[in-house]
Amino acid sequence: MSTHIAAAPGEIAPIVLFPGDPLRAKWIASEFLTDAVCYSEVRGMLGFTGTWEGHRVSVQGSGMGQPSMSIYANELFESYDVQTIVRVGSCGALTERVGMRDIIIANGACTDSGINRVRFHGLDYAPVADFGLLRAAVEASERMPLESAVHVGLLFSSDQFYSTRPELNDPFVRHGALAVEMETSALYTLAAFHGRRALSICTVSDHLVTHEETTALEREQTFGDMVRIALGAATSV
Ligand code: HPA
């Protein structure tokens, strides 16, 4: 048991899918894994281990934002020897190049967060995806019949959902950011620090340019495509 996860040693698989919402973790476990067992309910942040196409896979809720996500990622890497984390999340599109329900495979992440500024003494670090996982996710997506377009590009990991200064997104968009979410920059940094693999795959759930939003049903459907890509990638590297 680690500070925030109640699993015994060995109860968490080397591969972890990492949604923000613990109920999405439960949904993934029941829809995709066989013989799934819940290993932790601490703070309602559910975690499950089961089997997908012969591979042991866990699904752990991360909570929202880089501080919450970092607690779980650190404990998965340090206390449970997790080798691969694939975030499966939602994001808000920042450009009309990206449509509603599109899937973004993040090759890197920029951020307004102070977390990496503290870690790197005020200098800039470029958090990037594990290349093998990234390539495997692209290949998995090409093998599947998908409703949505798939993009590989930059995410902007913000510390604020309700930003009082949305104009601060503009320079990031001007330099290639496709969408905003709240976790990837810190996840990629922690994976690099621990020498493990990480990848973020996000579905566009809302559009900050066109102001469209997805329905709950649409989110469930596109979330399934993203989970299939994540499982295909994580189990093939
Ligand atoms: N902002 C930040 N995170 C998000 C958003 C957003 O608009 N949509 C989904 N995750």
Side-chain angles (χ1 to χ4, degrees):
M1 149 132 209
S2 61
T3 308
H4 299 90
I5 303 175
E11 280 189 327
I12 301 183
I15 293 169
V16 174
L17 262 55
F18 208 31
D21 179 353
L23 293 180
R24 282 271 167 78
K26 189 176 183 182
W27 181 81
I28 293 168
S30 72
E31 289 289 315
F32 292 90
L33 303 185
T34 45
D35 302 324
V37 172
C38 179
Y39 60 72
S40 187
E41 297 184 349
V42 176
R43 290 177 180 251
M45 200 55 74
L46 305 174
F48 302 83
T49 299
T51 304
W52 183 79
E53 296 195 353
H55 301 269
R56 265 185 96 223
V57 173
S58 294
V59 194
Q60 171 67 53
S62 72
M64 288 179 281
Q66 307 195 63
S68 175
M69 183 286 302
S70 297
I71 288 171
Y72 296 99
N74 265 311
E75 293 183 21
L76 291 171
F77 288 141
E78 285 178 12
S79 303
Y80 297 99
D81 203 25
V82 166
Q83 300 298 311
T84 298
I85 293 181
V86 182
R87 166 167 155 70
V88 281
S90 59
C91 62
L94 292 171
T95 162
E96 284 179 324
R97 288 161 56 200
V98 172
M100 290 294 290
R101 298 176 295 282
D102 283 4
I103 292 171
I104 298 178
I105 302 173
N107 55 4
C110 35
T111 188
D112 59 8
S113 171
I115 291 181
N116 276 10
R117 259 170 252 141
V118 173
R119 186 180 276 266
F120 295 99
H121 312 282
L123 302 182
D124 294 325
Y125 174 72
V128 293
D130 176 83
F131 179 67
L133 263 183
L134 176 75
R135 180 169 52 189
V138 171
E139 288 171 357
S141 74
E142 287 170 348
R143 285 194 300 269
M144 288 174 201
L146 298 172
E147 298 286 316
S148 321
V150 175
H151 308 261
V152 176
L154 268 183
L155 290 176
F156 173 45
S157 302
S158 176
D159 271 354
Q160 298 189 87
F161 188 90
Y162 297 109
S163 174
T164 49
R165 298 189 59 196
E167 75 279 8
L168 292 182
N169 293 343
D170 296 346
F172 291 102
V173 177
R174 183 71 184 76
H175 292 80
L178 299 177
V180 57
E181 50 83 81
M182 302 184 71
E183 291 83 14
T184 299
S185 170
L187 175 62
Y188 286 0
T189 304
L190 289 173
F193 177 72
H194 289 95
R196 311 291 166 79
R197 286 185 284 268
L199 180 68
S200 266
I201 309 176
C202 290
T203 301
V204 175
S205 61
D206 52 291
H207 208 296
L208 278 71
V209 181
T210 63
H211 305 291
E212 295 162 277
E213 289 180 355
T214 42
T215 63
L217 191 65
E218 287 172 331
R219 281 198 292 276
E220 186 169 309
Q221 170 65 46
T222 45
F223 208 84
D225 288 343
M226 179 171 60
V227 170
R228 275 180 277 278
I229 295 171
L231 286 166
T235 56
S236 68
V237 290

